[in-house]
Structures are given as C-alpha cells and as structure tokens.
Amino acid sequence: KCEHSRQISQSQEELTSSSFLLSRLSKPCAERMASSLAQHSVESALEKHLPEEELKEVKRILYGRPVEDIGSDLPESAHKQAKEQNFALQAYRISAPAEQIRSARLVKLGLVQNAIVKPTTAPIVEQRAALHDRIKSITECAAQCGVRIICYQEAWTTPFFFCTREKYPWLELAESAEDGPTTKLCQELARQHNMVIISPILERDSENLDIIANTAVVIDNHGAVLGKSRKNHIPRVGDFNESTYYFEGNTGHRVFETEFGRIAINICYGRHHPLNWMMYAMNGAEVIFNPSATVGALSEPMWSIEARNAAIANSVYTCAINRVGTERFENEFTSGDGKSAHHEFGEFYGSSYVAAPDGCRTPGLPRDQDGLLVTEVDLNLQRQIRDKWCFSMTGRYDMYAQQLTEFTSDGYQRPIIRASK
C-alpha cells in the first residue's frame, strides 16, 4: 500500500511539473510535437504524441472533467459543407446532473473564428462583402447543427487595422449598430434560423457626434435588435492602438435576456480584468461571450486560462473567441518599441473554446483555420455549482465595495503595517 501510494504521488508530481511532456518525449518526438502544435492546436499535438492513459490524465488536469464529443451527431450535410468550404467543425456537450424538479435547460452555442477573406489592399466594400458571405455561410451551417446563440469574433467585418493608426479608408467601415448593413444581414439570418446573433462591429454613432465605438450588437431570434454592448476596457499595449479610434464604452455591464438564456458580451481586452467578468455575472449573465482579436506573441500563454478562470470564479459559462491568420497592411507601421517598421500585426491564433462553471472546457478550435465550435450546454449547471462552492455566499462583496470606494477617493492611504524602527 505504501509503495503504491508513493508511485501515485510520484506520477501526480510528474504530471503537474512543467517539464512533464518534454521529459517523456524523445528530442525528435518533442520537435514533431512542437511542429504539429504550431500548425494546428494544443489538443491535436497532445493526442498525436502522448500514450492514451497519460493523455487522459493530462487532459483531466488541463481541461477538467471530460466533455462529450458530439461531432458524429451533427448532420452529414454540415460536415460536408465545412469540408467543402474549408472551415473546422467541432461539437461537444457539457452536461449537468439531472434534477428532480427542474428540467434540463439545454442550449447549443456557436462560436465562429475566421481570417479575413480579401487582402487589405482590396476596396473596402469588397472586403466587407466577402466577410459577409463567409459568415453567412458558416451561420447557415450552425443552423443545421441546431445552434440557438451564435457569436462572431471582435470587429468581424473588418481587418484588425488598429495597428496602423490610419483613419482612412478604415473608418468608412464603421456603421450603425441599429440599422447598418451588417445589422440588417444579421437580422435576416436571425429570423431565418431562429437564432440569437451577437455581432461585434466597429460602430459609428451618428446620433452622438459620429463617435466611433467597439460594439457588440445583440439581435434576438425574431430579428429584432435587442441592444448593444460596448467594449469597457481599451488596450494600450504593443500594436493595439485602439484609442486612436475610440475610447472606453459607456454601456456598463448589460445583460440580455433571450429565449435561450441570459447573455453578456465582454469584448476582447476586458478578459484581462476580473471585475469586468464579475459584474456581468452579478447582473445575471448565464453565458458571457468574449469576442477577441489577439496575437500569439502577446497573449497566447494567457488565452487558455483567463476565460476558464472567469467561468470558475463567477459560476458562469464563458466563450472565448479569437480570429485567425496574419493580416498584412500596405503601409509600414511601428510599435513604439525601438524595433523596425513592419507590415504585419502578428499571427491571430484562433483556439476558440467554451468553459463551464465547474472549470471543465471544450477543446479549442484550430490555431490556423476558420472554424465553427458548437457546444450544447445545460444552464442548470450554473446554480448547481453555486450551491456546491458557495462563491456567492462567501464573496464578501460589501467589504470589497467599501474598500474600492475608499481606494478611488483622493487621499487614500494603503493599510500597510510596517515594522517599527
């Protein structure tokens, strides 16, 4: 017994050590694993190079309890479309224990990641039209799969041109959240497919001095504009020169009640701010979407952690969405870091995933390919996990509210106790 316990303890230490994977792989195998990871996804690299039993344990540690792969349950027509149009199609189920009184609250979520279709030098109307066509097609595939709430990536109708600091022609792509061409397209799709659509766009608010905003438009399953939510936190790091175009949003932490559940949108950089997630959850969100556009050199090690951590801390479902590909711009730009001017922002690494209140999560979409991630979730899991972990009961929100109020006041004195001299 003692020897068996010692072996189990040793195995657990090996699994959780940072050098576990490399220590179990030969150098050629490790190099092949790195190569497959660079080309596709973390999951595919693990599956290709780890023995089955070790793979199972590594996945348990990295991703929590297993989620069910339901890709084979999707219509053959959906798989055929994905193959013909070259986008990944993955599907999973995150279940919850059956209850005696409440029925299961099942809803299929759809996450879409994609690269731009036309080069950035093409006429901007053609660029947007090509993206409209691409997303319309993927949305139609999602409808075949039974998706009821779908979310596209941040600023999906444009290249992520904010790195350039150029105003034109890019600002011509900013449009009305209420009745712009993209919203009208999404209204048509929502009505046709009985689907709630979250459409993150670059907004021009012509009713308020033509201000520009980074905005997610929410369209209900009957085609009505339910409302909009603007980006709360604006990055000022690297080539993310977004404050050249817009400032922090003014819509707070809105939650949208739909026929399929209460949803909120925490756009991109807001995922780095734990209180941002918390406020959406406190306002009643059951699913928080995080449409993003972020590059590997800057944020990839954080990507798999942040949305999953937010799901755990706030007992909600979170959906992390990132675009893919490398976008090249005609004019060089600099990053303010002393390095030479360049034409490219960096590689957007996709890897979109869904995380659950108990910390489990789906595998990610590929790093290098357009994709649709379909995830069936049971919203009952939210309350079950809150009952189990009691985070809401033990949260001490009154204490934090008081101390944050004091912290934001002039003359705040930090309560640091120092040793006497």
Side-chain angles (χ1 to χ4, degrees):
K1 267 188 172 181
C2 291
E3 176 62 18
H4 182 58
S5 297
R6 186 192 67 78
Q7 290 175 348
I8 291 175
S9 176
Q10 180 179 351
S11 297
Q12 289 175 336
E13 288 176 5
E14 285 181 341
L15 283 165
T16 53
S17 71
S18 61
S19 60
F20 166 69
L21 295 178
L22 293 178
S23 68
R24 299 304 296 267
L25 297 169
S26 65
K27 184 176 180 181
C29 185
E31 290 172 350
R32 289 196 303 272
M33 184 171 178
S35 175
S36 60
L37 170 58
Q39 293 172 7
H40 204 57
S41 70
V42 173
E43 291 79 19
S44 62
L46 292 174
E47 290 166 2
K48 187 174 181 180
H49 298 287
L50 285 184
E52 185 176 352
E53 286 305 308
E54 291 181 356
L55 173 66
K56 186 185 299 184
E57 189 67 358
V58 167
K59 282 190 171 182
R60 182 189 68 81
I61 292 169
L62 291 179
Y63 302 136
R65 66 181 171 103
V67 298
E68 183 182 356
D69 189 325
I70 58 171
S72 61
D73 296 344
L74 301 182
E76 183 59 35
S77 58
H79 286 290
K80 181 180 179 182
Q81 180 185 350
K83 184 177 182 180
E84 290 177 348
Q85 298 178 4
N86 191 29
F87 62 87
L89 176 58
Q90 297 173 206
Y92 304 94
R93 175 181 290 123
I94 300 178
S95 59
E99 299 184 17
Q100 295 187 39
I101 296 177
R102 290 196 305 172
S103 300
R105 298 179 60 215
L106 305 179
V107 59
K108 281 186 178 177
L109 311 174
L111 280 56
V112 179
Q113 65 178 43
N114 62 278
I116 58 174
V117 180
K118 296 274 190 178
T120 61
T121 51
I124 57 170
V125 173
E126 292 182 10
Q127 292 187 51
R128 182 167 63 190
L131 285 164
H132 279 187
D133 289 343
R134 181 62 164 165
I135 295 305
K136 180 180 178 181
S137 180
I138 296 177
T139 303
E140 289 168 349
C141 182
Q144 292 185 62
C145 300
V147 167
R148 288 290 165 257
I149 306 174
I150 195 168
C151 185
Y152 309 139
Q153 66 198 23
E154 180 186 20
W156 72 270
T157 59
T158 74
F160 210 72
F161 60 83
F162 309 110
C163 55
T164 69
R165 299 188 294 275
E166 297 172 347
K167 296 296 181 73
Y168 284 90
W170 307 119
L171 286 183
E172 294 182 64
L173 291 170
E175 56 184 283
S176 168
E178 289 72 27
D179 58 7
T182 299
T183 294
K184 289 180 178 178
L185 169 66
C186 292
Q187 288 178 294
E188 176 187 333
L189 294 171
R191 281 191 294 265
Q192 181 180 353
H193 300 304
N194 189 32
M195 186 186 297
V196 173
I197 295 179
I198 302 167
S199 174
I201 62 169
L202 188 65
E203 179 194 6
R204 180 179 292 279
D205 190 346
S206 59
E207 297 298 315
N208 289 284
L209 302 177
D210 278 320
I211 66 165
I212 304 298
N214 188 320
T215 301
V217 184
V218 180
I219 297 153
D220 73 15
N221 54 308
H222 304 292
V225 176
L226 194 56
K228 63 187 178 184
S229 183
R230 289 173 172 163
K231 188 172 183 175
N232 281 330
H233 297 275
I234 306 302
R236 293 163 176 83
V237 56
D239 286 328
F240 288 86
N241 299 309
E242 295 172 51
S243 57
T244 301
Y245 304 89
Y246 48 78
F247 284 148
E248 287 73 14
N250 60 357
T251 55
H253 297 87
R254 293 176 175 174
V255 173
F256 300 89
E257 186 153 14
T258 76
E259 289 187 19
F260 310 116
R262 294 190 303 271
I263 61 176
I265 307 96
N266 176 9
I267 301 175
C268 198
Y269 191 70
R271 74 180 176 280
H272 303 308
H273 296 266
L275 293 180
N276 207 38
W277 295 101
M278 184 185 78
M279 289 307 304
Y280 289 117
M282 292 185 75
N283 286 345
E286 295 170 306
V287 184
I288 305 176
F289 294 87
N290 176 231
S292 301
T294 184
V295 292
L298 181 68
S299 65
E300 194 165 12
M302 304 153 68
W303 178 253
S304 63
I305 300 170
E306 289 175 305
R308 186 182 180 206
N309 182 66
I312 296 167
N314 299 291
S315 303
V316 295
Y317 286 96
T318 59
C319 302
I321 307 161
N322 187 26
R323 67 173 61 198
V324 296
T326 300
E327 301 173 0
R328 182 177 178 82
F329 295 91
E330 186 174 18
N331 299 322
E332 289 184 320
F333 53 89
T334 59
S335 304
D337 58 2
K339 296 181 181 178
S340 60
H342 42 280
H343 292 275
E344 298 174 353
F345 192 2
E347 181 185 5
F348 298 102
Y349 53 83
S351 307
S352 304
Y353 68 94
V354 174
D358 64 352
C360 74
R361 54 154 286 185
T362 69
L365 285 174
R367 299 175 72 251
D368 57 353
Q369 185 184 13
D370 290 8
L372 168 63
L373 175 63
V374 177
T375 308
E376 181 185 271
V377 302
D378 187 341
L379 297 179
N380 282 352
L381 185 62
Q382 181 184 45
R383 192 167 81 178
Q384 292 172 4
I385 295 302
R386 284 179 172 168
D387 288 345
K388 177 180 180 179
W389 284 101
C390 302
F391 289 157
S392 301
M393 182 176 72
T394 59
R396 301 300 307 276
Y397 304 118
D398 55 340
M399 178 181 70
Y400 295 123
Q402 177 184 341
Q403 293 187 6
L404 284 169
T405 300
E406 294 171 358
F407 175 75
T408 55
S409 302
D410 290 340
Y412 174 70
Q413 296 292 317
R414 290 182 291 180
I416 299 174
I417 298 173
R418 296 180 171 87
S420 58
K421 296 182 179 179

